Amino acid sequence: MAEVTVTPRCSLADRAVQIRVRGLSPGQLVTLRACLRDEQGQRFQSRAFFRADGAGEVDPGIHAALGGSYSGVWPMGLLWFLQPDSLFRRLVKRDVAGSPFRVRLEVLDGLCLGTDPREQPLASCEAQRWYLGPGVQRVPVREGRVRGALFLPP
């Protein structure tokens, strides 16, 4: 039975995570897909195609993606290469303190190019990507024509 994991599951957006898939058949072709919805409900996705190693595992930090949103060894490629479903959209986090981006990671059998919602993943998990660490205080700055935010550590 396939299993996809993200370690750590909850992390700051600028920190690396390890994505691993276990329980595949040796040499099995799979698609790893990441998707999230931004604060306006727009969907962003990335996908990469992999061939499982002899132990039936895929680790994007070790194994090269054969194609998809990127190719080669990119440990964070699924998160770095997220693209909008609609043209001319940018992935922007406005509420940095209130909620994380929730990224759903799925492993699908074979090479999956479409976005068919009927595609059943072999396994899935969710990762939280926060933009503000615990205890950090956000102070709005408004001085003359200067606007911004000051982030103070705990």
Side-chain angles (χ1 to χ4, degrees):
M1 175 171 250
E3 174 189 30
V4 60
T5 58
V6 178
T7 308
R9 236 174 227 228
C10 184
S11 64
L12 291 173
D14 64 345
R15 300 287 191 242
V17 295
Q18 182 182 33
I19 300 168
R20 293 191 71 183
V21 181
R22 293 184 178 110
L24 301 170
S25 300
Q28 182 177 357
L29 280 172
V30 294
T31 300
L32 279 177
R33 180 169 61 192
C35 62
L36 68 81
R37 292 202 180 269
D38 70 4
E39 294 160 329
Q40 285 75 42
Q42 296 296 317
R43 190 167 73 161
F44 291 75
Q45 290 190 85
S46 65
R47 71 185 72 241
F49 312 127
F50 292 92
R51 184 175 299 280
D53 65 12
E57 297 183 356
V58 170
D59 181 344
I62 299 170
H63 303 113
L66 305 173
S69 301
Y70 66 95
S71 60
V73 178
W74 291 82
M76 297 286 293
L78 287 168
L79 301 176
W80 289 344
F81 292 98
L82 288 163
Q83 294 293 315
D85 284 355
S86 307
L87 294 176
F88 309 113
R89 295 284 188 182
R90 286 187 13 212
L91 185 58
V92 176
K93 184 70 172 143
R94 300 213 186 278
D95 180 16
V96 296
S99 64
F101 273 140
R102 297 181 188 283
V103 183
R104 181 172 173 80
L105 294 157
E106 300 174 332
V107 60
L108 300 124
D109 189 29
L111 304 179
C112 298
L113 299 172
T115 58
D116 186 355
R118 293 173 292 166
E119 291 174 340
Q120 290 298 316
L122 299 173
S124 65
C125 71
E126 184 179 272
Q128 294 182 5
R129 304 290 283 168
W130 288 88
Y131 282 76
L132 194 66
V136 173
Q137 183 181 13
R138 182 180 190 271
V139 179
V141 175
R142 296 186 187 280
E143 188 68 36
R145 293 174 37 192
V146 175
R147 301 288 183 263
L150 174 63
F151 293 90
L152 298 171

